[in-house]
Short mmCIF file of all heavy atoms in Angstrom, two decimals:
data_model
loop_
_atom_site.label_atom_id
_atom_site.label_comp_id
_atom_site.label_asym_id
_atom_site.label_seq_id
_atom_site.Cartn_x
_atom_site.Cartn_y
_atom_site.Cartn_z
N VAL V 49 81.05 163.61 -43.30
CA VAL V 49 81.87 162.53 -43.87
C VAL V 49 81.01 161.29 -44.09
O VAL V 49 79.98 161.09 -43.45
CB VAL V 49 83.05 162.21 -42.94
CG1 VAL V 49 84.01 163.40 -42.88
CG2 VAL V 49 82.58 161.84 -41.54
N TYR V 50 81.49 160.43 -45.02
CA TYR V 50 80.71 159.26 -45.43
C TYR V 50 81.16 157.96 -44.78
O TYR V 50 80.48 156.95 -44.90
CB TYR V 50 80.79 159.10 -46.95
CG TYR V 50 79.92 160.08 -47.72
CD1 TYR V 50 80.46 161.25 -48.23
CD2 TYR V 50 78.57 159.83 -47.93
CE1 TYR V 50 79.68 162.14 -48.94
CE2 TYR V 50 77.78 160.72 -48.64
CZ TYR V 50 78.35 161.88 -49.15
OH TYR V 50 77.56 162.76 -49.84
N THR V 51 82.32 157.95 -44.11
CA THR V 51 82.81 156.72 -43.51
C THR V 51 82.81 156.83 -41.99
O THR V 51 83.02 157.92 -41.44
CB THR V 51 84.22 156.38 -43.99
OG1 THR V 51 85.13 157.41 -43.57
CG2 THR V 51 84.25 156.28 -45.51
N ILE V 52 82.60 155.70 -41.33
CA ILE V 52 82.57 155.68 -39.86
C ILE V 52 83.95 156.03 -39.32
O ILE V 52 84.07 156.69 -38.28
CB ILE V 52 82.11 154.30 -39.37
CG1 ILE V 52 80.66 154.04 -39.80
CG2 ILE V 52 82.24 154.20 -37.86
CD1 ILE V 52 80.13 152.69 -39.40
N GLN V 53 85.01 155.61 -40.00
CA GLN V 53 86.36 155.88 -39.52
C GLN V 53 86.64 157.39 -39.49
O GLN V 53 87.22 157.91 -38.52
CB GLN V 53 87.39 155.18 -40.42
CG GLN V 53 87.37 153.67 -40.33
CD GLN V 53 86.24 153.03 -41.12
OE1 GLN V 53 85.55 153.70 -41.88
NE2 GLN V 53 86.04 151.73 -40.93
N GLU V 54 86.24 158.11 -40.54
CA GLU V 54 86.44 159.55 -40.57
C GLU V 54 85.58 160.23 -39.51
O GLU V 54 86.00 161.20 -38.87
CB GLU V 54 86.08 160.10 -41.96
CG GLU V 54 87.05 159.70 -43.05
CD GLU V 54 86.59 160.15 -44.42
OE1 GLU V 54 85.46 159.81 -44.81
OE2 GLU V 54 87.36 160.87 -45.10
N PHE V 55 84.36 159.73 -39.31
CA PHE V 55 83.48 160.29 -38.28
C PHE V 55 84.09 160.13 -36.90
O PHE V 55 84.12 161.07 -36.10
CB PHE V 55 82.12 159.60 -38.36
CG PHE V 55 81.19 159.93 -37.22
CD1 PHE V 55 80.54 161.16 -37.17
CD2 PHE V 55 80.98 159.03 -36.19
CE1 PHE V 55 79.69 161.47 -36.12
CE2 PHE V 55 80.13 159.33 -35.15
CZ PHE V 55 79.48 160.55 -35.11
N GLU V 56 84.58 158.94 -36.60
CA GLU V 56 85.19 158.69 -35.29
C GLU V 56 86.43 159.55 -35.09
O GLU V 56 86.69 160.01 -33.96
CB GLU V 56 85.52 157.21 -35.16
CG GLU V 56 84.28 156.31 -35.07
CD GLU V 56 84.64 154.85 -35.03
OE1 GLU V 56 85.81 154.51 -35.35
OE2 GLU V 56 83.76 154.03 -34.69
N ALA V 57 87.19 159.78 -36.14
CA ALA V 57 88.39 160.62 -36.02
C ALA V 57 88.01 162.05 -35.68
O ALA V 57 88.64 162.70 -34.83
CB ALA V 57 89.19 160.57 -37.32
N LYS V 58 86.97 162.59 -36.32
CA LYS V 58 86.52 163.95 -36.03
C LYS V 58 85.94 164.05 -34.62
O LYS V 58 86.16 165.05 -33.92
CB LYS V 58 85.47 164.38 -37.05
CG LYS V 58 86.03 164.65 -38.44
CD LYS V 58 87.03 165.80 -38.41
CE LYS V 58 87.64 166.05 -39.77
NZ LYS V 58 88.67 167.12 -39.72
N MET V 59 85.23 163.02 -34.19
CA MET V 59 84.66 163.05 -32.85
C MET V 59 85.75 162.96 -31.79
O MET V 59 85.64 163.57 -30.72
CB MET V 59 83.64 161.91 -32.68
CG MET V 59 82.40 162.04 -33.55
SD MET V 59 81.54 163.62 -33.35
CE MET V 59 80.99 163.50 -31.66
N ARG V 60 86.81 162.21 -32.07
CA ARG V 60 87.94 162.18 -31.12
C ARG V 60 88.61 163.54 -31.03
O ARG V 60 89.02 163.98 -29.95
CB ARG V 60 88.96 161.12 -31.56
CG ARG V 60 88.55 159.70 -31.28
CD ARG V 60 89.74 158.76 -31.39
NE ARG V 60 90.32 158.77 -32.73
CZ ARG V 60 89.96 157.94 -33.72
NH1 ARG V 60 89.01 157.04 -33.50
NH2 ARG V 60 90.54 158.01 -34.88
N GLU V 61 88.69 164.23 -32.16
CA GLU V 61 89.28 165.57 -32.16
C GLU V 61 88.43 166.53 -31.33
O GLU V 61 88.97 167.36 -30.58
CB GLU V 61 89.38 166.07 -33.60
CG GLU V 61 90.15 167.36 -33.77
CD GLU V 61 90.34 167.75 -35.21
OE1 GLU V 61 90.09 166.90 -36.10
OE2 GLU V 61 90.73 168.91 -35.47
N ILE V 62 87.11 166.42 -31.44
CA ILE V 62 86.22 167.25 -30.63
C ILE V 62 86.38 166.90 -29.15
O ILE V 62 86.41 167.79 -28.29
CB ILE V 62 84.76 167.06 -31.09
CG1 ILE V 62 84.57 167.65 -32.49
CG2 ILE V 62 83.78 167.71 -30.11
CD1 ILE V 62 83.21 167.39 -33.09
N LYS V 63 86.47 165.62 -28.84
CA LYS V 63 86.59 165.18 -27.45
C LYS V 63 87.88 165.67 -26.82
O LYS V 63 87.91 166.02 -25.63
CB LYS V 63 86.52 163.66 -27.39
CG LYS V 63 86.41 163.10 -26.00
CD LYS V 63 86.20 161.59 -26.02
CE LYS V 63 86.03 161.03 -24.62
NZ LYS V 63 85.81 159.56 -24.66
N GLU V 64 88.96 165.72 -27.60
CA GLU V 64 90.23 166.19 -27.06
C GLU V 64 90.17 167.68 -26.72
O GLU V 64 90.81 168.13 -25.77
CB GLU V 64 91.35 165.92 -28.07
CG GLU V 64 91.68 164.45 -28.24
CD GLU V 64 92.68 164.21 -29.34
OE1 GLU V 64 93.10 165.21 -29.98
OE2 GLU V 64 93.07 163.04 -29.57
N ILE V 65 89.39 168.45 -27.49
CA ILE V 65 89.28 169.89 -27.22
C ILE V 65 88.35 170.15 -26.04
O ILE V 65 88.68 170.92 -25.13
CB ILE V 65 88.77 170.62 -28.48
CG1 ILE V 65 89.76 170.44 -29.63
CG2 ILE V 65 88.55 172.10 -28.19
CD1 ILE V 65 89.28 171.01 -30.94
N ASP V 66 87.19 169.52 -26.03
CA ASP V 66 86.21 169.73 -24.96
C ASP V 66 85.32 168.49 -24.88
O ASP V 66 84.54 168.22 -25.81
CB ASP V 66 85.38 170.98 -25.22
CG ASP V 66 84.55 171.39 -24.01
OD1 ASP V 66 84.21 170.50 -23.20
OD2 ASP V 66 84.22 172.58 -23.87
N GLU V 67 85.43 167.75 -23.80
CA GLU V 67 84.66 166.51 -23.67
C GLU V 67 83.16 166.77 -23.55
O GLU V 67 82.35 165.95 -23.95
CB GLU V 67 85.16 165.72 -22.47
CG GLU V 67 84.58 164.31 -22.39
CD GLU V 67 85.27 163.46 -21.36
OE1 GLU V 67 86.32 163.89 -20.83
OE2 GLU V 67 84.77 162.35 -21.09
N THR V 68 82.79 167.92 -22.99
CA THR V 68 81.35 168.22 -22.86
C THR V 68 80.71 168.44 -24.23
O THR V 68 79.55 168.09 -24.44
CB THR V 68 81.14 169.46 -21.98
OG1 THR V 68 81.83 170.58 -22.56
CG2 THR V 68 81.66 169.22 -20.58
N ALA V 69 81.46 169.03 -25.18
CA ALA V 69 80.94 169.19 -26.54
C ALA V 69 80.73 167.83 -27.20
O ALA V 69 79.74 167.61 -27.91
CB ALA V 69 81.89 170.05 -27.36
N TYR V 70 81.66 166.93 -26.96
CA TYR V 70 81.53 165.57 -27.49
C TYR V 70 80.29 164.89 -26.92
O TYR V 70 79.52 164.26 -27.65
CB TYR V 70 82.79 164.78 -27.14
CG TYR V 70 82.70 163.29 -27.41
CD1 TYR V 70 82.97 162.79 -28.68
CD2 TYR V 70 82.35 162.41 -26.39
CE1 TYR V 70 82.89 161.42 -28.92
CE2 TYR V 70 82.27 161.04 -26.63
CZ TYR V 70 82.54 160.56 -27.89
OH TYR V 70 82.44 159.22 -28.14
N GLU V 71 80.07 165.04 -25.61
CA GLU V 71 78.91 164.43 -24.98
C GLU V 71 77.61 165.06 -25.47
O GLU V 71 76.59 164.39 -25.60
CB GLU V 71 79.03 164.56 -23.45
CG GLU V 71 80.19 163.75 -22.87
CD GLU V 71 80.38 164.02 -21.39
OE1 GLU V 71 79.70 164.95 -20.87
OE2 GLU V 71 81.21 163.34 -20.77
N TRP V 72 77.63 166.39 -25.73
CA TRP V 72 76.43 167.06 -26.24
C TRP V 72 76.02 166.48 -27.58
O TRP V 72 74.83 166.26 -27.85
CB TRP V 72 76.70 168.55 -26.38
CG TRP V 72 75.48 169.39 -26.63
CD1 TRP V 72 74.76 170.09 -25.71
CD2 TRP V 72 74.83 169.60 -27.90
NE1 TRP V 72 73.70 170.73 -26.33
CE2 TRP V 72 73.72 170.45 -27.66
CE3 TRP V 72 75.07 169.18 -29.19
CZ2 TRP V 72 72.86 170.87 -28.67
CZ3 TRP V 72 74.21 169.57 -30.22
CH2 TRP V 72 73.13 170.41 -29.95
N LEU V 73 77.00 166.22 -28.45
CA LEU V 73 76.70 165.66 -29.77
C LEU V 73 76.29 164.20 -29.71
O LEU V 73 75.37 163.78 -30.42
CB LEU V 73 77.92 165.82 -30.69
CG LEU V 73 78.29 167.25 -31.09
CD1 LEU V 73 79.62 167.27 -31.83
CD2 LEU V 73 77.20 167.88 -31.95
N MET V 74 76.93 163.44 -28.86
CA MET V 74 76.67 162.01 -28.81
C MET V 74 75.40 161.65 -28.05
O MET V 74 74.96 160.51 -28.11
CB MET V 74 77.87 161.28 -28.18
CG MET V 74 79.14 161.35 -29.02
SD MET V 74 78.92 160.65 -30.69
CE MET V 74 78.68 158.92 -30.30
N LYS V 75 74.82 162.62 -27.33
CA LYS V 75 73.57 162.31 -26.65
C LYS V 75 72.43 162.10 -27.66
O LYS V 75 71.43 161.45 -27.34
CB LYS V 75 73.21 163.41 -25.65
CG LYS V 75 72.77 164.71 -26.28
CD LYS V 75 72.41 165.76 -25.23
CE LYS V 75 71.97 167.07 -25.87
NZ LYS V 75 71.64 168.10 -24.86
N GLU V 76 72.59 162.68 -28.84
CA GLU V 76 71.68 162.39 -29.95
C GLU V 76 72.27 161.24 -30.76
O GLU V 76 73.47 161.23 -31.04
CB GLU V 76 71.50 163.62 -30.84
CG GLU V 76 71.02 164.86 -30.13
CD GLU V 76 69.56 164.76 -29.68
OE1 GLU V 76 68.90 163.77 -30.06
OE2 GLU V 76 69.11 165.66 -28.96
N GLU V 77 71.45 160.29 -31.12
CA GLU V 77 71.95 159.13 -31.86
C GLU V 77 72.60 159.59 -33.17
O GLU V 77 71.97 160.29 -33.96
CB GLU V 77 70.81 158.16 -32.14
CG GLU V 77 70.22 157.53 -30.89
CD GLU V 77 69.22 156.45 -31.24
OE1 GLU V 77 69.35 155.86 -32.33
OE2 GLU V 77 68.32 156.21 -30.44
N PRO V 78 73.86 159.19 -33.42
CA PRO V 78 74.53 159.63 -34.64
C PRO V 78 73.80 159.24 -35.92
O PRO V 78 73.94 159.93 -36.94
CB PRO V 78 75.90 158.93 -34.55
CG PRO V 78 76.13 158.74 -33.09
CD PRO V 78 74.76 158.47 -32.52
N ARG V 79 73.00 158.17 -35.88
CA ARG V 79 72.29 157.77 -37.10
C ARG V 79 71.27 158.80 -37.53
O ARG V 79 70.80 158.77 -38.67
CB ARG V 79 71.61 156.42 -36.89
CG ARG V 79 70.51 156.43 -35.83
CD ARG V 79 69.89 155.06 -35.67
NE ARG V 79 68.86 155.07 -34.64
CZ ARG V 79 67.61 155.44 -34.83
NH1 ARG V 79 67.23 155.85 -36.03
NH2 ARG V 79 66.73 155.42 -33.84
N THR V 80 70.91 159.74 -36.65
CA THR V 80 69.93 160.75 -37.01
C THR V 80 70.57 162.01 -37.59
O THR V 80 69.86 162.83 -38.18
CB THR V 80 69.10 161.16 -35.78
OG1 THR V 80 69.97 161.69 -34.76
CG2 THR V 80 68.33 159.97 -35.22
N TRP V 81 71.88 162.18 -37.45
CA TRP V 81 72.51 163.41 -37.95
C TRP V 81 73.85 163.20 -38.63
O TRP V 81 74.32 164.10 -39.34
CB TRP V 81 72.70 164.41 -36.80
CG TRP V 81 73.56 163.93 -35.67
CD1 TRP V 81 73.17 163.22 -34.58
CD2 TRP V 81 74.97 164.13 -35.51
NE1 TRP V 81 74.24 162.96 -33.76
CE2 TRP V 81 75.36 163.51 -34.30
CE3 TRP V 81 75.93 164.78 -36.28
CZ2 TRP V 81 76.66 163.52 -33.84
CZ3 TRP V 81 77.25 164.79 -35.82
CH2 TRP V 81 77.59 164.16 -34.61
N ALA V 82 74.48 162.06 -38.48
CA ALA V 82 75.78 161.80 -39.12
C ALA V 82 75.55 161.08 -40.45
O ALA V 82 74.91 160.04 -40.49
CB ALA V 82 76.66 160.97 -38.20
N ARG V 83 76.08 161.65 -41.51
CA ARG V 83 75.84 161.11 -42.86
C ARG V 83 76.37 159.69 -43.01
O ARG V 83 75.81 158.88 -43.75
CB ARG V 83 76.49 162.04 -43.89
CG ARG V 83 76.20 161.68 -45.32
CD ARG V 83 76.91 162.66 -46.25
NE ARG V 83 76.14 163.86 -46.48
CZ ARG V 83 76.62 164.94 -47.09
NH1 ARG V 83 77.88 164.97 -47.48
NH2 ARG V 83 75.86 166.00 -47.29
N CYS V 84 77.46 159.35 -42.32
CA CYS V 84 78.03 158.02 -42.44
C CYS V 84 77.11 156.95 -41.87
O CYS V 84 77.26 155.76 -42.17
CB CYS V 84 79.39 157.95 -41.75
SG CYS V 84 79.32 158.19 -39.96
N MET V 85 76.15 157.36 -41.03
CA MET V 85 75.21 156.42 -40.42
C MET V 85 73.90 156.30 -41.20
O MET V 85 73.04 155.51 -40.82
CB MET V 85 74.89 156.87 -38.98
CG MET V 85 76.10 157.00 -38.08
SD MET V 85 76.81 155.41 -37.65
CE MET V 85 78.12 155.92 -36.52
N TYR V 86 73.74 157.10 -42.26
CA TYR V 86 72.52 157.02 -43.05
C TYR V 86 72.40 155.64 -43.69
O TYR V 86 73.39 155.08 -44.15
CB TYR V 86 72.50 158.07 -44.16
CG TYR V 86 72.33 159.50 -43.69
CD1 TYR V 86 72.41 160.56 -44.58
CD2 TYR V 86 72.11 159.81 -42.35
CE1 TYR V 86 72.27 161.88 -44.18
CE2 TYR V 86 71.96 161.12 -41.93
CZ TYR V 86 72.05 162.15 -42.85
OH TYR V 86 71.91 163.45 -42.45
N SER V 87 71.19 155.13 -43.75
CA SER V 87 70.97 153.88 -44.46
C SER V 87 71.00 154.14 -45.96
O SER V 87 70.74 155.25 -46.42
CB SER V 87 69.62 153.27 -44.06
OG SER V 87 68.56 154.01 -44.61
N GLY V 88 71.30 153.11 -46.72
CA GLY V 88 71.34 153.26 -48.16
C GLY V 88 69.98 153.15 -48.82
O GLY V 88 69.88 153.22 -50.05
N ARG V 89 68.93 153.02 -48.04
CA ARG V 89 67.61 152.82 -48.61
C ARG V 89 67.03 154.10 -49.20
O ARG V 89 66.38 154.08 -50.25
CB ARG V 89 66.65 152.27 -47.54
CG ARG V 89 65.28 151.92 -48.06
CD ARG V 89 64.41 151.38 -46.97
NE ARG V 89 64.23 152.35 -45.89
CZ ARG V 89 63.45 152.14 -44.83
NH1 ARG V 89 62.85 150.99 -44.68
NH2 ARG V 89 63.32 153.08 -43.92
N ALA V 90 67.27 155.22 -48.56
CA ALA V 90 66.66 156.48 -49.00
C ALA V 90 67.30 157.05 -50.26
O ALA V 90 66.67 157.80 -50.99
CB ALA V 90 66.71 157.52 -47.88
N LYS V 91 68.58 156.72 -50.50
CA LYS V 91 69.33 157.25 -51.65
C LYS V 91 69.28 158.77 -51.67
O LYS V 91 69.02 159.41 -52.68
CB LYS V 91 68.77 156.70 -52.97
CG LYS V 91 68.79 155.19 -53.07
CD LYS V 91 70.18 154.63 -52.83
CE LYS V 91 70.18 153.11 -52.85
NZ LYS V 91 71.48 152.55 -52.43
N CYS V 92 69.56 159.35 -50.52
CA CYS V 92 69.53 160.80 -50.36
C CYS V 92 70.56 161.19 -49.31
O CYS V 92 70.57 160.63 -48.21
CB CYS V 92 68.14 161.28 -49.94
SG CYS V 92 68.03 163.05 -49.63
N ASN V 93 71.43 162.13 -49.65
CA ASN V 93 72.47 162.57 -48.70
C ASN V 93 72.18 163.94 -48.11
O ASN V 93 73.05 164.57 -47.53
CB ASN V 93 73.84 162.59 -49.38
CG ASN V 93 73.91 163.61 -50.50
OD1 ASN V 93 72.88 164.12 -50.97
ND2 ASN V 93 75.12 163.93 -50.94
N ARG V 94 70.93 164.42 -48.27
CA ARG V 94 70.58 165.73 -47.75
C ARG V 94 70.67 165.74 -46.23
O ARG V 94 70.26 164.80 -45.56
CB ARG V 94 69.16 166.11 -48.18
CG ARG V 94 68.97 166.30 -49.67
CD ARG V 94 69.77 167.48 -50.18
NE ARG V 94 69.34 168.73 -49.59
CZ ARG V 94 68.37 169.49 -50.09
NH1 ARG V 94 67.76 169.14 -51.21
NH2 ARG V 94 68.04 170.63 -49.51
N MET V 95 71.19 166.85 -45.69
CA MET V 95 71.36 166.98 -44.25
C MET V 95 70.50 168.09 -43.65
O MET V 95 70.60 168.37 -42.46
CB MET V 95 72.84 167.27 -43.94
CG MET V 95 73.78 166.19 -44.43
SD MET V 95 75.52 166.66 -44.25
CE MET V 95 75.64 166.88 -42.48
#
C-alpha cells in the first residue's frame, strides 16, 4: 500500500491475529520494506 493509514490498518489486522508476527515484521524498519515509507527521491516503486 502507498499510504501510512492503509499500512497501519493492515499491521493492526496482523497484530490482532498474532502479535508475534506483528513484532517479527516491525523489528525491521518499515522504511526498508513498506512502500508507503519509500522516499520520493528514487522515483521507483519496485519491491
Side-chain angles (χ1 to χ4, degrees):
V49 294
Y50 284 97
T51 64
I52 295 178
Q53 292 78 9
E54 290 175 305
F55 171 76
E56 291 176 345
K58 289 297 178 183
M59 294 306 295
R60 284 195 299 269
E61 189 175 347
I62 292 174
K63 189 174 183 180
E64 291 174 359
I65 298 174
D66 191 333
E67 190 169 350
T68 58
Y70 170 85
E71 294 173 352
W72 191 98
L73 292 172
M74 293 302 292
K75 72 179 179 181
E76 304 289 353
E77 295 187 27
R79 64 180 178 84
T80 60
W81 60 273
R83 186 181 275 169
C84 65
M85 302 289 184
Y86 289 175
S87 72
R89 185 179 61 177
K91 302 305 177 188
C92 177
N93 64 345
R94 295 295 297 271
M95 300 172 61

